[in-house]
Amino acid sequence: MVNHNQDDESCTKPLGRCSVFYYGVGHMLNDITSACWFTYLLVFLTDIGLSPSDAAVVMLSGQVADGLTTVFAGELIDRFGHFKVWHLAGSVLVGVSFSSVFGGCLPCKLIGSDSVMLQTIGYSVFAAIFNVGWAATQVSHMSMVNCITLNSTSRVVLASCRNAFTMIANLSLYAVAFAVFNVVGAGTPAAIENQYRWIAYISIFIGSCFVGVFHLGTREPRSAHVLFSLF
C-alpha cells in the first residue's frame, strides 16, 4: 500500500524543469534532419544529376516507408513498451541513413557504376531506411508523454518544450546551411555534393548530442498499462 501511494504521488506531481528539458531535446535529431530533408533533398538530387521524376521517386519511397512504419511502430511500442530502446534504434538508423543519402550513392561506389537507375534505387533504399528510423523515433518519443506523468499540466509543458526545440532545430539547420554555403565552394557536382555532405554531418552531430542528453537525463517510463493500473 505504501509503494502504491508513492507511485501514485510520483506520477501526479508536476515535473521539474530538468526533466522537461531532457525530454524536450529528445526529438532534435529527427527535427534537424527532417528540416534538411524536406528543404534540400530534391534540390540536392537534381543538382547531382537525377531527373525531377527520379528525385520524386526517392522522396516518395521515404514517405511510403514512413507511413507504414508509423502504424506498425505505434502498435509494437504500445504492446511491448521499451520507449528508449525504440528511440535509440530509430536514432541510429536516422544518423546512418541520412549521412548515406547526402554522402553519395553508396551502392554506386561499391559496384563501380553511376547509372541513373542504380542511383535512384540506392538513394530510395536509404531514404526508406531513414524514414523507418525517423518514424520509430517520433512515435516512441511522442508516446512517452502520457507515460512519464499523469499530471495534465506537465504533459502540456512536455509537448510545448518538444515543439520549442523543433523550432530551434529548424533555425539551427538553416544557420548551418547558411554557413556551409558561404564557406564551402561550389561549381561542380562534386563540390555541391560536398556542401550537402557537410550540412548533413553537422546536422547529425548536433542532433546526436541532444539524443545523448535525452537518454542520459530521461528515465525509461512505465508503459501506459502499468501506469493506469495504479488507479
Side-chain angles (χ1 to χ4, degrees), residues 27-112:
H27 207 249
M28 277 285 289
L29 178 61
N30 264 23
D31 289 330
I32 196 169
T33 53
S34 66
C36 183
W37 189 265
F38 290 112
T39 304
Y40 296 119
L41 178 63
L42 293 177
V43 179
F44 164 72
L45 293 175
T46 53
D47 280 349
I48 63 173
L50 264 65
S51 67
S53 59
D54 290 333
V57 169
V58 175
M59 177 68 80
L60 179 62
S61 67
Q63 296 309 108
V64 171
D66 183 18
L68 294 175
T69 305
T70 298
V71 175
F72 289 108
E75 175 64 26
L76 292 173
I77 292 171
D78 183 60
R79 181 172 299 182
F80 300 109
H82 302 293
F83 301 94
K84 291 180 66 176
V85 174
W86 283 92
H87 185 281
L88 182 60
S91 297
V92 171
L93 287 180
V94 166
V96 172
S97 58
F98 189 74
S99 62
S100 298
V101 170
F102 285 96
C105 178
L106 183 59
C108 300
K109 296 176 182 178
L110 294 176
I111 298 176

Side-chain angles (χ1 to χ4, degrees), residues 106-175:
L106 183 59
C108 300
K109 296 176 182 178
L110 294 176
I111 298 176
S113 172
D114 289 327
S115 69
V116 174
M117 179 176 293
L118 185 58
Q119 289 187 58
T120 303
I121 294 173
Y123 284 119
S124 296
V125 169
F126 281 106
I129 295 173
F130 169 77
N131 280 275
V132 167
W134 199 95
T137 303
Q138 179 199 37
V139 173
S140 60
H141 188 258
M142 185 179 296
S143 59
M144 287 177 69
V145 171
N146 291 331
C147 298
I148 290 176
T149 179
L150 293 176
N151 185 285
S152 58
T153 301
S154 291
R155 287 179 173 179
V156 172
V157 173
L158 288 172
S160 298
C161 186
R162 169 193 165 106
N163 292 334
F165 276 100
T166 296
M167 182 180 65
I168 293 173
N170 292 336
L171 295 176
S172 300
L173 181 276
Y174 297 129

Side-chain angles (χ1 to χ4, degrees), residues 14-25 154 157-158 161 165 217-218:
L15 295 176
R17 293 181 179 179
C18 289
S19 297
V20 173
F21 171 79
Y22 292 144
Y23 170 81
V25 301
S154 291
V157 173
L158 288 172
C161 186
F165 276 100
T218 304

